[in-house]
Amino acid sequence: MNAPSRHKWATAGFHLGAGGLSLLWLLPILLVLVTSVRSFDDIAANGLGGLPHSFTLSGFGQAWSDGGQQRALINSLLVTVPCVLVTLALASMAAFALSRYAMPLRRTLLLVMLGGNLLPPQILLIPVNKLTELTGLFDSLTALVLVQIGFGLGFYVFVLHGFMRAIPAEIQQAAVIDGASPVQVFWRIILPLTRPALAALCALSFTWVFNDLLWAITVLRSDAKMPITAALIGLQGQYVSMWNVIAAGSVIAAAPTVIVFLRFQRHFVAGLNLGAVK
Amino acid sequence: MAVLTAGEEHSGSRAAPRTRKRATRVPPVVIAFVLVPLLAEAFWVFWPALQGFYLSLTSWDGVSAPRFVGLGNFQEMLHDATFRTALLDTVLWLVLFGGLSAVLGLGAALLLQQERRGVGFYRAALFLPVVFSLVATALVWQALYQPDGMINRVLGGVGLGGLEHAWLADQDTALYAVIVPALWRQIGYVMVLYIAGLKGIDPVLYEAAKVDGATLWQQFRNVTLPQLRSVNAVVLSVIIIDSLRSFDVVWSLTRGGPYHSSELLSTYMYSTAFQSLRLGYGSALAVVIFVLAFGVIASYLVRAFKEAD
């Protein structure tokens, strides 16, 4: 066999293997999409694994309004958006101080903060639950936002510190000579230069906070305040075996992070690598 | 004027004495920059963590005052059959979920590492589940596992109807049935880490190996694997920490059942604490999780310590 045709076979083999694998991976997602637009009667008659015989969006309607997914989605966004913004603001401030100034004990502080994030959350659940009761924050979205900020900080400080450390000192020195205050240096120089890392962490932390279940069910009690992950479990209990509604609920719960992923794919993947390999 | 740490590290010996003298003067606002986040973390993490360790030495129902029982909770674990199941399942989870996601993630990375037409789509397909919440993932798979679901249909369709059963309701299969969705979601993540690692390998090494007549397998054994050592360490830490934290997928699929057959330490801890309201014993279970994770945490911090220098 000559070289070009062997190359062609290798390419075909690659696409066959990788394509098959991708199809296998996407199959569960496709199945849920199909199930979410089937009618209940169709599923009851033909089985969950059977071929679809109907098309209706009523499952979405039921999950959205009767199932409380609309409220849950709003709750999730009310928690996620402030949480991501505040965490990144606080983390970049700490990373700036620790990476650009000769703070005493800066290395120890950095590692202590990272260590806090590496702790298994289970050790914190009971005390945090009691702490929110003690401060009167139990069963409020504020509590969830605060807990998520506190627990996430260490990791973001560590990543941003690594990133800011690589910015040449001369840039900052020049600004200081021109009379810039530390806040101006932070806001005008260091933050803009850290934008790639901030974008990456933003995409990453959005999905982490949005997808969280454990903290939500630790500090919240009322159904009306639950974020979308916890509400999805509730939906499963409420609509037992009504798979069109449950599937529609899953689609609603997954949509925001999938949108973020598709829109910011590059940043997202960069974020994972920043967090791990750096 | 405050001194930049980066400058301190890179400037020559001439400037060093001067910087050191000024190093003590950090503007107050910069100190506030680090203190505010530190206090936030101290309030929600360090202080609760200390309490958690203390509570593990108590018996507490959450209403009356905690009663100090020393190591009583840990002694009770020795005779607790559910604890033993949960510990065993956690180890099994670590080995199966961890091992398979590492091996399959590396396999996918090797397959999809080259930049060629269409590879972006394949990567995205494998990666898409990573952004799903584990709860949504769990429900997707719950639909597949139903008695009339896709998996049983396919088994019946290919003549393996004898294997059909209620995967999640069977004590013998529940744990494995829960691992599969967790893997489906984790493999894409591990793949991304490995692709980044593979891209960092100097191509000259492969050229040299080819000149020496190395087969593909020999190249993998003697070039790829050694070069991936630091990524392997990262993947290992991520996997162990993720395994010990795993909660969402089990909780939404089986709650640890049937009859604790898919119970992990994390789910047992949660139900003990918040459903049985045995907060002291739950804290002790959390301490066990911490002790299992400790080696990873320590080695991660040691590595970070070297890098932060």
Side-chain angles (χ1 to χ4, degrees):
Chain A
M1 209 189 296
N2 59 16
S5 102
R6 196 164 65 197
H7 179 73
K8 216 190 278 172
W9 279 108
T11 308
F14 165 77
H15 285 293
L16 209 67
L21 193 65
S22 306
L23 196 69
L24 193 70
W25 234 250
L26 292 176
L27 197 66
I29 300 173
L30 292 176
L31 201 82
V32 162
L33 284 174
V34 169
T35 307
S36 70
V37 295
R38 290 173 69 184
S39 71
F40 177 69
D41 296 335
D42 172 21
I43 295 175
N46 300 302
L48 191 53
L51 289 173
H53 291 82
S54 59
F55 180 87
T56 165
L57 294 176
S58 66
F60 281 91
Q62 256 173 303
W64 185 253
S65 40
D66 307 339
Q69 291 283 96
Q70 180 189 17
R71 200 182 44 215
L73 190 63
I74 293 172
N75 289 342
S76 276
L77 293 175
L78 283 178
V79 170
T80 309
V81 172
C83 184
V84 169
L85 293 178
V86 176
T87 310
L88 286 181
L90 287 177
S92 54
M93 279 159 54
F96 171 70
L98 293 173
S99 67
R100 312 297 299 178
Y101 292 88
M103 294 279 295
L105 295 176
R106 58 196 158 93
R107 208 162 56 163
T108 314
L109 286 177
L110 182 70
L111 291 174
V112 165
M113 291 188 86
L114 177 65
N117 182 255
L118 291 175
L119 284 178
Q122 284 84 5
I123 193 82
L124 306 174
L125 295 183
I126 297 170
V128 162
N129 172 278
K130 293 294 156 191
L131 200 58
T132 54
E133 280 180 7
L134 215 67
T135 49
L137 290 168
F138 182 69
D139 201 21
S140 73
L141 293 181
T142 316
L144 190 52
V145 173
L146 291 176
V147 172
Q148 292 271 19
I149 291 172
F151 187 69
L153 266 176
F155 171 76
Y156 302 104
V157 171
F158 182 71
V159 172
L160 289 171
H161 172 273
F163 209 86
M164 289 183 185
R165 207 166 43 119
I167 298 171
E170 288 76 16
I171 299 178
Q172 188 171 353
Q173 276 159 350
V176 171
I177 289 167
D178 287 345
S181 69
V183 177
Q184 282 170 323
V185 171
F186 171 65
W187 190 250
R188 293 251 184 85
I189 297 167
I190 303 298
L191 264 196
L193 289 172
T194 318
R195 256 173 65 182
L198 285 173
L201 289 179
C202 202
L204 198 61
S205 63
F206 181 88
T207 58
W208 281 350
V209 177
F210 190 88
N211 286 339
D212 164 74
L213 170 72
L214 193 51
W215 289 118
I217 57 177
T218 301
V219 301
L220 298 177
R221 181 182 292 149
S222 14
D223 286 341
K225 288 179 183 148
M226 286 296 176
I228 193 106
T229 44
L232 202 52
I233 294 187
L235 198 71
Q236 176 199 18
Q238 190 184 344
Y239 290 91
V240 188
S241 80
M242 289 187 70
W243 283 102
N244 57 332
V245 182
I246 298 171
S250 310
V251 172
I252 295 171
T257 51
V258 170
I259 292 168
V260 166
F261 168 63
L262 293 177
R263 176 72 185 75
F264 301 104
Q265 191 174 351
R266 201 166 43 87
H267 295 307
F268 192 91
V269 172
L272 287 181
N273 285 317
L274 261 184
V277 183
K278 253 227 163 299
Chain B
M1 188 188 91
V3 160
L4 319 175
T5 58
E8 188 185 22
E9 280 157 16
H10 298 302
S11 60
S13 55
R14 186 176 49 82
R18 215 179 40 172
T19 48
R20 205 164 292 143
K21 210 169 69 191
R22 287 191 191 171
T24 46
R25 286 174 50 206
V26 180
V29 63
V30 171
I31 295 180
F33 268 23
V34 73
L35 272 189
V36 173
L38 191 67
L39 286 177
E41 193 175 348
F43 187 78
W44 291 109
V45 178
F46 302 130
W47 170 233
L50 291 176
Q51 283 180 307
F53 288 111
Y54 169 71
L55 287 174
S56 72
L57 305 174
T58 67
S59 169
W60 191 27
D61 58 6
V63 183
S64 49
R67 189 166 53 83
F68 189 81
V69 294
L71 296 175
N73 287 324
F74 297 95
Q75 277 164 353
E76 186 184 335
M77 276 177 211
L78 298 175
H79 312 288
D80 180 350
T82 309
F83 168 74
R84 221 168 306 143
T85 313
L87 185 66
L88 225 74
D89 282 355
T90 303
V91 172
L92 202 64
W93 185 274
L94 245 159
V95 172
L96 270 182
F97 166 79
L100 286 174
S101 62
V103 171
L104 297 175
L106 176 59
L110 287 170
L111 180 68
L112 300 177
Q113 61 168 323
Q114 263 178 38
E115 296 302 334
R116 56 202 294 180
R117 198 197 298 237
V119 81
F121 172 79
Y122 300 137
R123 281 186 202 157
L126 257 67
F127 193 72
L128 193 57
V130 179
V131 304
F132 284 11
S133 69
L134 275 162
V135 177
T137 303
L139 292 190
V140 169
W141 283 80
Q142 194 164 39
L144 291 170
Y145 282 134
Q146 285 308 297
D148 64 344
M150 182 72 129
I151 290 176
N152 281 342
R153 278 288 167 109
V154 170
L155 284 176
V158 297
L160 290 169
L163 288 175
E164 284 181 35
H165 67 300
W167 300 92
L168 293 166
D170 182 338
Q171 286 185 59
D172 294 331
T173 54
L175 183 69
Y176 305 100
V178 175
I179 287 182
V180 172
L183 274 175
W184 179 67
R185 190 168 169 279
Q186 187 82 356
I187 285 171
Y189 176 29
V190 175
M191 176 189 78
V192 168
L193 298 182
Y194 273 126
I195 287 180
L198 289 170
K199 283 192 184 297
I201 300 177
D202 189 344
V204 171
L205 294 173
Y206 289 107
E207 277 159 37
K210 270 183 224 159
V211 170
D212 290 345
T215 62
L216 275 177
W217 170 247
Q218 283 170 328
Q219 288 178 34
F220 176 72
R221 270 295 311 270
N222 301 314
V223 179
T224 312
L225 275 186
Q227 289 288 314
L228 285 179
R229 199 177 304 159
S230 69
V231 186
N232 281 331
V234 168
V235 170
L236 192 72
S237 329
V238 165
I239 281 171
I240 294 178
I241 294 216
D242 279 357
S243 299
L244 292 171
R245 284 181 179 180
S246 285
F247 172 82
D248 303 20
V249 71
V250 185
W251 194 253
S252 27
L253 275 176
T254 63
R255 308 255 155 134
Y259 304 106
H260 300 295
S261 59
S262 62
E263 196 83 82
L264 299 183
L265 284 174
S266 60
T267 54
Y268 187 43
M269 183 267 150
Y270 186 85
S271 56
T272 306
F274 296 109
Q275 293 182 333
S276 315
L277 291 179
R278 300 193 56 204
L279 299 180
Y281 196 57
S283 299
L285 291 168
V287 167
V288 172
I289 298 175
F290 170 79
V291 169
L292 290 176
F294 181 77
V296 177
I297 299 174
S299 65
Y300 205 98
L301 288 179
V302 167
R303 202 150 31 93
F305 191 75
K306 283 190 198 134
E307 274 179 27
D309 200 7

